[in-house]
Amino acid sequence: MSEISAPKGVRDILPDESWKWDYVFGVLRKTAADFGFSEVHLPIFEHTELFSRGIGDTTDVVEKEMYTFTDKGGRSITLRPEATASMVRSYLEHRMGTLPQPVKMWCAGPMFRYERPQKGRYRQFWQVDFESLGSASPYADAEIIALSLEAFRRLGLSRLEVVINSVGCPACRPDYRRRLTEYFSSREGDLCETCRDRMGRNPLRILDCKKESCRQVTEDAPSVYESLCGECREHFDAVRSSLDGLGAVYRLDKRLVRGLDYYTKTAYEVLSGALGSQNAVCGGGRYDNLAEAIGGPHVPGVGFAAGVDRILMVMEQEGCSFGKEPRLDVFGVALDFRSRAAILSVVDLLRKNGISADMDFNDRSMKAQMKAASARNARLACILGEDELTRGTVAVKDLTTGEQKEIAGEGLAQAVKEMLSTLKG
Ligand code: HAM
């Protein structure tokens, strides 16, 4: 143990797990390509203003959870708590409005939120984020939802529930806020302290409170549907009927409001029965006013982000396949002092021929080297000793069957390739 451990709420993804992450990213990358989304790499920190204006000042994320600091140039900088605002910033900054619309992009990477850590909730967590920018069409919403479901299907996730809602737009939300405030005022005594505080500032957020007493109050809260303007209602109906057309199963949830203020019209989440209280594997929706909120022109957009840490938790729990664990092709074993230098050349030759190979670097005994080979799950061992050096050969041992062959040095790479191609697993 070192005297310094990782900060609370962050974790290391070690080799026994990282190969599974590679598998998940491989599936997501292919799904993104199949749906016409291009990958982008965005900065991990941005000007704080991007998030305070984009996500909304009264959200928990901006009010309490951002990692914000002043850099050496005196600027306020924030480690990104999410990627949507950055994606829209990038779209605007690179004038992607001139490209054929919508522009469909995705990115992956760590996000940072100062939340109370618990199972499935970290202070540094990974998201894959998909955004479709430049279309107001309800089919774009349906495509986004279908994309998330297809990604989860390919990863083998079952026990999923899709919940959707419409949160209206600036034209109809004031009426809904008024109706909610009226209702919550009549039940103020039953609300928790945080929700009483939310009442004046952002009554929609009360619908999202997880406290039992507040949940009981919200059960009878007015539904958003009666407040939706004609345009939002029509849009929501079209999203639902195109989801029906795609065969997607979903539940309407009038209490789904999401924790970020930029949403307009569609909001949705995918919940997993395999997770505890942090059960959302993905969340998203439409955000037609976000570009304007950060000083750009009107750019309608819709997208989602999925939590990669949570996807892996669900996959482990549900026993999903991660494909084959990568194996080392060859472990080089040296039987004596003189062979140690020669085995490095053998390993180097194999690597240059696209064969994965490794060896011992600590002068260990043959027995210890063979143990290391099996600990690395190597398929073959290439063994060198006095006799092989004299004859200019290498002994190649199949570590599954124990069968051994002596191969001439010059034909080694080709012979190893042939042996590997006949091995199973
Ligand atoms: P979000 O709901 O805040 O939405 O996060 C999306 C997903 O990230 C969650 O469903 C969850 O799987 C994962 N997640 C969030 N916080 C944590 C955490 N502390 N630890 C582990 N996983 C976490 C957004 O971030 C929006 N930008 C989504 C979006 C994209 N909306 C439109 N486009």
Side-chain angles (χ1 to χ4, degrees):
M1 275 289 274
S2 116
E3 284 175 6
I4 304 165
S5 54
K8 198 171 158 187
V10 309
R11 65 206 185 101
D12 304 317
I13 311 295
L14 299 177
D16 61 345
E17 218 192 328
S18 62
W19 68 272
K20 298 178 181 176
W21 283 62
D22 280 350
Y23 171 79
V24 169
F25 284 122
V27 172
L28 293 169
R29 181 163 284 118
K30 172 76 172 84
T31 315
D34 290 348
F35 279 72
F37 282 69
S38 309
E39 187 169 10
V40 290
H41 301 290
L42 301 181
I44 279 175
F45 60 83
E46 298 266 8
H47 291 294
T48 302
E49 206 187 344
L50 174 68
F51 303 117
S52 53
R53 285 171 60 176
I55 299 173
D57 271 334
T58 61
T59 56
D60 282 355
V61 171
V62 171
E63 254 183 349
K64 304 181 200 152
E65 296 169 3
M66 294 206 303
Y67 279 89
T68 298
F69 59 95
T70 306
D71 74 3
K72 290 193 193 326
R75 303 168 198 92
S76 181
I77 293 294
T78 293
L79 300 185
R80 62 181 180 192
E82 59 111 49
T84 311
S86 303
M87 204 71 113
V88 175
R89 192 247 334 120
S90 178
Y91 171 99
L92 296 173
E93 194 167 331
H94 300 286
R95 302 183 197 291
M96 294 189 211
T98 58
L99 302 173
Q101 305 294 300
V103 175
K104 303 199 294 186
M105 300 184 286
W106 75 284
C107 70
M111 309 291 153
F112 306 85
R113 295 184 194 175
Y114 190 81
E115 292 189 90
R116 194 170 51 78
Q118 64 182 88
K119 189 167 172 260
R121 188 160 77 190
Y122 307 100
R123 289 183 173 168
Q124 174 178 321
F125 57 97
W126 278 69
Q127 278 188 349
V128 281
D129 182 88
F130 292 78
E131 310 294 352
S132 173
L133 289 153
S135 169
S137 163
Y139 301 125
D141 304 46
E143 180 191 48
I144 278 289
I145 298 174
L147 161 56
S148 57
L149 296 182
E150 177 58 10
F152 296 145
R153 188 193 69 77
R154 291 184 188 190
L155 290 167
L157 271 61
S158 53
R159 296 173 60 200
L160 294 181
E161 185 182 27
V162 184
V163 284
I164 73 167
N165 193 20
S166 173
V167 293
C169 69
C172 50
R173 205 169 301 142
D175 178 58
Y176 186 45
R177 273 178 76 122
R178 186 188 50 73
R179 288 172 55 227
L180 276 182
T181 311
E182 242 171 62
Y183 170 77
F184 287 132
S185 306
S186 70
R187 303 285 304 267
E188 197 172 344
D190 301 321
L191 294 174
C192 72
E193 214 183 301
T194 319
C195 284
R196 281 207 292 273
D197 180 49
R198 281 170 175 156
M199 220 161 66
R201 296 188 305 144
N202 196 349
L204 266 81
R205 297 283 300 127
I206 302 176
L207 296 170
D208 200 29
C209 184
K210 301 285 180 284
K211 296 220 174 68
E212 192 43 44
S213 55
C214 296
R215 288 200 73 78
Q216 273 176 21
V217 176
T218 55
E219 238 163 63
D220 300 323
S223 153
V224 65
Y225 307 123
E226 285 99 64
S227 294
L228 291 183
C229 62
E231 189 190 315
C232 286
R233 184 181 300 275
E234 227 172 82
H235 193 273
F236 194 42
D237 287 345
V239 172
R240 287 168 55 190
S241 58
S242 50
L243 286 176
D244 292 338
L246 294 173
V249 180
Y250 57 87
R251 174 169 66 79
L252 293 182
D253 184 351
K254 66 171 188 183
R255 290 193 292 194
L256 178 72
V257 286
R258 313 265 306 121
L260 312 157
D261 273 357
Y262 47 61
Y263 291 109
T264 49
K265 298 183 175 147
T266 316
Y268 87 104
E269 283 184 355
V270 181
L271 311 175
S272 165
L275 293 172
S277 62
Q278 300 304 312
N279 62 349
V281 274
C282 103
R286 178 161 282 285
Y287 47 86
D288 290 346
N289 302 317
L290 174 53
E292 281 159 290
I294 61 169
H298 180 75
V299 181
V302 61
F304 78 91
V308 183
D309 306 78
R310 290 189 193 172
I311 289 178
L312 270 111
M313 276 173 70
V314 176
M315 288 178 72
E316 291 283 6
Q317 207 142 321
E318 295 194 352
C320 299
S321 163
F322 291 100
K324 280 195 191 122
E325 185 171 358
R327 293 181 66 177
L328 190 66
D329 292 327
V330 174
F331 198 85
V333 174
L335 299 187
D336 49 53
F337 181 75
R338 226 162 54 89
S339 314
R340 285 191 203 289
I343 200 71
L344 180 58
S345 306
V346 168
V347 164
D348 186 58
L349 170 88
L350 295 174
R351 288 170 174 170
K352 285 177 176 154
N353 280 277
I355 298 162
S356 64
D358 212 345
M359 58 178 277
D360 168 58
F361 289 91
N362 284 340
D363 292 351
R364 278 183 288 197
S365 68
M366 179 191 175
K367 200 170 152 201
Q369 291 179 64
M370 291 305 284
K371 236 169 129 177
S374 77
R376 297 288 299 278
N377 208 6
R379 293 183 170 90
L380 303 174
C382 278
I383 305 167
L384 262 188
E386 277 295 326
D387 295 346
E388 286 80 11
L389 276 184
T390 313
R391 291 196 290 269
T393 59
V394 176
V396 184
K397 182 172 183 168
D398 180 332
L399 292 173
T400 314
T401 62
E403 234 173 274
Q404 192 163 316
K405 285 187 201 170
E406 194 163 344
I407 312 264
E410 57 277 16
L412 182 67
Q414 189 53 34
V416 166
K417 270 189 192 166
E418 278 161 22
M419 284 174 79
L420 287 170
S421 70
T422 62
L423 294 179
K424 288 190 212 91

